[in-house]
Amino acid sequence: MARLQTPIRRLLDSHLSSLGAATTVTLVPDAHYPYHPSTGMVTDPAVVGATVAFLERETSTDVAVAGTSEYVTAERTSAYLDLDDVLDRFDASLVDLSETPRTTETFTLGDQSVAVAVPDRLTTSSVIPLPTLRPTQDGPIAGGMRTLASHVDCSVAGGVGAAAATIAVDPELAVLDATTVYAGKSYAADTLLAGPTAAVDAVGARLIDRSVSDDPAIRHGLRTAPESIGVEGVDVTTLTARCPSGELPPPTKPHPAVSLAYRTYAAVSGDAVPPQLDGR
Amino acid sequence: MPPRVIDRVTDSSGLSVGVLGVGNIGTVHLQSALAMPEVTVVAAADAVPENRTRAERAGVPRTYDDYVELLDAESIDAAIVALPPFLHADAVSRAADAGVDVFVEKPLARSTEEAAALLDAADRGGIAVGVDHTLRYQSDMQGVKRAYTDGRVGHVPYASMTRLNDHPLGRPPAEDEPPAWPHDPDAAGGGSLYELGLHCFDLLEWVFGEVEVRDAVMGNSLDVPVEDAATVLLRAPETETTITLHCGSYQWEELPEVNTELRLEGIGGTISNDEFLPANFYASAARSAIENVTKRFTGAEPDVYAPTFYLEAHYDALADFCASMRANEAPPIDGADGRRALELAEVTYERAKTDGETETEHPEVLS
């Protein structure tokens, strides 16, 4: 974690005045499941820890880390990933956003009316999403916008919902943890990127070879043309060449057609259907 | 194994069976039993409604939400115990009260002490106890043992075994909440050493005879309450073979790829289980499927789970147990075998603790 303190300070120093003015800061890492941080499938707790440490050292604001109980309880994931230890060390707290009150807001995005129910914690505090660099199950970058959206109930699914959630939360900035990237395989990119959430997502998408223009989240979220996003301190072209560009592994649950085919074979032959292939 | 005091098989050839627990591995056993000639599945029990529905859909006539109710209500010859480990002792004790033989998923119990009590209860009830140590039934492992016994590489000074998977957390994408009990030492008895190592101990003694645990190191890649890796140094005195065993639950598994490796380094060369695996899983599975369909049309019995060789071993293990029950013989892998694997696991934990007089420090998750 110590090796990350200087890079985090460099990335956050310019935001110190606004972060210091906030009563609370909520960090929103990608902690959707207790995957080992060395895979790049979740935000490295060391990145979370270095960010918490910076804020505790440089500001007097209360810092919390948002957890999710979408698949596994936030407490269990935090314990398995050793986030508990980080939070204890710096006197920060874990907040399970699935258990906090929400406020509903409706606004128009493009030609769509979108309703979002946002945890109050995310609208009453300064927010920093800390996504990892990986794709989602349907292909695009998980990113800061979709990491925020995973905590927000939205009337529209997919990228538009992610953009709506981000507008509703209005994060201070995003810090993309690309210390390890996952895109079909893992790669130790040893990189952190910080900036406006949609812009950081756009750069991340480029790194894992996703089309920025095909992603409605980035399209709706960006306030500037993708090609005008400047990146300092990182050779994006070289890093893109090194980063993998694959997908997540296929779901464990088989495709319905595979299940049907196996059940048909079993019915004809008298063989048994393994539970992994039953699909029902 | 004490002599069986009562012949409970309901007729000269058939065996009526109840399945206690129809989660993942319980469903494998259930499907196996349903496909088995001369075996009739009369009932299944599971606390989870979806699991009972799946069992009913598979053709089980009656289901119960409590295995005690099943054992009280049904007249069965044998029970397949595929419950979480903390329920094995109670289930076997109640089966013993009902005079029902049992085939128990590994681990037989959470400790040798609990296994001893379980086996005492079985003795008192005069029931047979079989244990599902399936590696012995895998075709690749049988190939290794056959080549070794045939003396293909002569003396084997060194062997290594690795078994890795991702139980219970799984790999991406995240889908369901993993069960909590495998990470609870009170419920499961242990971590990777229990989940995978017990199978390996059983296999290694099957190949080399009795083994001794010389040293061990436990590992935790994540901060879970049980070990998710174990590395064990063993010695087989009879064959003068030194063995290293590594088992872990930290590696993503994408079926049909299964990370189970056994290598015997002999004077005359190497025997590896890889030699006995299908070169192309999908081609082999397709061939097995075609053969099974052909058998159906010629009136022959299918090779159950043949397209998925690692599940076929579960079928063969249960079929062997059922055959021994029908013949009124002792199970091929019995309670003593199950207890012995637990004994080796307990010695392994002790060796890991006493290494350097201090418990092995777990590495941090943080990078």
Side-chain angles (χ1 to χ4, degrees):
Chain A
M1 196 162 73
R3 71 188 173 87
L4 292 166
Q5 285 179 356
T6 301
I8 287 290
R9 180 173 52 73
R10 284 183 186 150
L11 291 173
L12 297 186
D13 250 352
S14 60
H15 298 270
L16 198 52
S17 59
S18 55
L19 290 170
T23 311
T24 58
V25 173
T26 305
L27 306 180
V28 188
D30 183 343
H32 73 288
Y33 198 87
Y35 294 122
H36 197 276
S38 66
T39 62
M41 275 300 296
V42 292
T43 305
D44 193 328
V47 172
V48 180
T51 309
V52 173
F54 172 83
L55 292 169
E56 295 286 2
R57 191 173 59 245
E58 302 293 338
T59 72
S60 55
T61 188
D62 287 334
V63 181
V65 173
T68 175
S69 296
E70 186 178 0
Y71 301 103
V72 181
T73 64
E75 290 76 15
R76 193 175 169 196
T77 301
S78 173
Y80 287 9
L81 294 179
D82 235 1
L83 261 173
D84 283 357
D85 184 52
V86 170
L87 301 180
D88 283 349
R89 208 183 304 174
F90 298 106
D91 199 25
S93 56
L94 178 74
V95 183
D96 184 351
L97 293 181
S98 60
E99 294 175 350
T100 60
R102 286 163 187 258
T103 301
T104 301
E105 189 181 347
T106 303
F107 52 88
T108 302
L109 197 64
D111 57 358
Q112 280 186 283
S113 175
V114 185
V116 290
V118 185
D120 289 349
R121 175 84 201 191
L122 294 182
T123 54
T124 57
S125 73
S126 191
V127 174
I128 304 177
L130 297 172
T132 188
L133 182 49
R134 67 171 178 90
T136 63
Q137 203 168 341
D138 51 1
I141 179 176
M145 289 194 287
R146 287 185 172 85
T147 297
L148 288 175
S150 69
H151 297 280
V152 174
D153 297 328
C154 187
S155 63
V156 179
V160 173
T166 306
I167 291 167
V169 173
D170 192 20
E172 176 74 24
L173 78 159
V175 176
L176 177 65
D177 171 16
T179 53
T180 304
V181 179
Y182 183 87
K185 56 186 175 183
S186 300
Y187 172 65
D190 205 20
T191 301
L192 295 169
L193 292 164
T197 304
V200 168
D201 280 7
V203 174
R206 186 177 158 194
L207 288 174
I208 57 171
D209 202 23
R210 264 57 182 175
S211 166
V212 172
S213 58
D214 287 351
D215 185 346
I218 295 174
R219 213 170 50 236
H220 284 289
L222 271 184
R223 291 168 189 163
T224 178
E227 53 275 14
S228 68
I229 299 168
V231 180
E232 294 174 9
V234 175
D235 180 347
V236 173
T237 305
T238 303
L239 191 55
T240 301
R242 288 179 180 165
C243 283
S245 59
E247 308 290 344
L248 296 184
T252 307
K253 288 173 185 159
H255 188 280
V258 173
S259 295
L260 182 61
Y262 205 96
R263 291 201 303 270
T264 304
Y265 149 72
V268 171
S269 68
D271 197 356
V273 181
Q276 297 90 335
L277 289 169
D278 189 294
R280 291 179 295 188
Chain B
M1 176 68 212
R4 302 188 55 215
V5 292
I6 311 168
D7 183 357
R8 282 173 300 279
V9 177
T10 45
D11 60 48
S12 59
S13 59
L15 195 75
S16 63
V17 167
V19 185
L20 316 186
V22 279
N24 186 50
I25 193 64
T27 300
V28 171
H29 292 315
L30 169 63
Q31 295 273 19
S32 295
L34 286 167
M36 223 167 265
E38 301 179 352
V39 170
T40 306
V41 179
V42 298
D46 200 293
V48 179
E50 292 79 12
N51 291 349
R52 295 198 297 275
T53 301
R54 187 169 55 186
E56 287 160 7
R57 204 168 47 220
V60 177
R62 291 175 295 284
T63 59
Y64 299 82
D65 61 7
D66 185 340
Y67 61 88
V68 177
E69 278 182 47
L70 185 155
L71 289 168
D72 286 346
E74 299 287 345
S75 175
I76 54 176
D77 298 315
I80 298 165
V81 180
L83 299 158
F86 61 91
L87 295 173
H88 286 187
D90 181 66
V92 172
S93 172
R94 290 176 187 275
D97 291 344
V100 170
D101 297 322
V102 288
F103 178 75
V104 186
E105 184 51 47
K106 70 90 210 70
L108 173 64
R110 293 170 294 176
S111 64
T112 51
E113 187 182 357
E114 189 175 57
L118 179 156
L119 293 174
D120 283 347
D123 283 351
R124 284 195 299 276
I127 65 165
V129 178
V131 184
D132 186 28
H133 281 307
T134 46
L135 281 182
R136 293 193 204 187
Y137 288 90
Q138 278 191 199
S139 55
D140 55 332
M141 298 302 171
Q142 291 176 339
V144 170
K145 185 176 183 190
R146 198 166 47 245
Y148 176 53
T149 308
D150 288 349
R152 197 183 88 189
V153 297
H155 172 54
V156 173
Y158 174 67
S160 61
M161 183 165 195
T162 305
R163 176 74 184 100
L164 297 172
N165 72 6
D166 56 15
H167 181 79
L169 291 177
R171 59 166 172 80
E175 287 170 346
D176 300 314
E177 181 176 10
W181 65 259
H183 282 153
D184 178 353
D186 292 334
S192 297
L193 198 61
Y194 268 51
E195 169 64 17
L196 303 170
L198 294 178
H199 279 312
C200 300
F201 287 140
D202 178 74
L203 181 92
L204 291 169
E205 290 211 320
W206 181 62
V207 174
F208 295 108
E210 193 167 293
V211 297
E212 298 165 353
V213 176
R214 294 293 177 86
D215 206 351
V217 178
M218 298 294 155
N220 278 79
S221 299
L222 290 173
D223 198 9
V224 293
V226 291
E227 80 282 353
D228 63 17
T231 306
V232 192
L233 178 67
L234 302 128
R235 178 78 178 161
E238 191 181 324
T239 60
E240 297 184 340
T241 303
T242 300
I243 307 161
T244 51
L245 164 65
H246 179 73
C247 52
S249 310
Y250 56 79
Q251 189 175 74
W252 293 346
E253 183 177 72
E254 193 169 332
L255 296 172
E257 296 298 325
V258 178
N259 193 343
T260 306
E261 291 190 349
L262 176 63
R263 280 176 66 91
L264 276 54
E265 306 294 352
I267 305 296
T270 301
I271 304 169
S272 166
N273 68 312
D274 269 356
E275 301 168 40
F276 305 98
L277 289 170
N280 182 317
F281 175 84
Y282 292 102
S284 167
R287 193 165 48 248
S288 298
I290 291 166
E291 285 170 4
N292 273 345
V293 171
T294 306
K295 282 180 181 175
R296 184 63 174 262
F297 288 106
T298 58
E301 292 292 336
D303 289 329
V304 176
Y305 288 137
T308 49
F309 71 93
Y310 45 88
L311 292 181
E312 192 178 21
H314 285 285
Y315 177 90
D316 290 344
L318 180 60
D320 232 9
F321 170 80
C322 290
S324 66
M325 293 302 97
R326 285 199 302 271
N328 216 31
E329 293 172 352
I333 301 176
D334 64 13
D337 296 316
R339 188 189 179 285
R340 169 64 181 161
L342 288 167
E343 185 182 354
L344 288 167
E346 287 179 351
V347 175
T348 299
Y349 285 127
E350 284 304 311
R351 291 280 184 273
K353 271 185 190 167
T354 54
D355 182 26
E357 299 302 316
T358 54
E359 190 163 359
T360 304
E361 194 172 315
H362 296 151
E364 279 192 69
V365 173
L366 304 185
S367 58

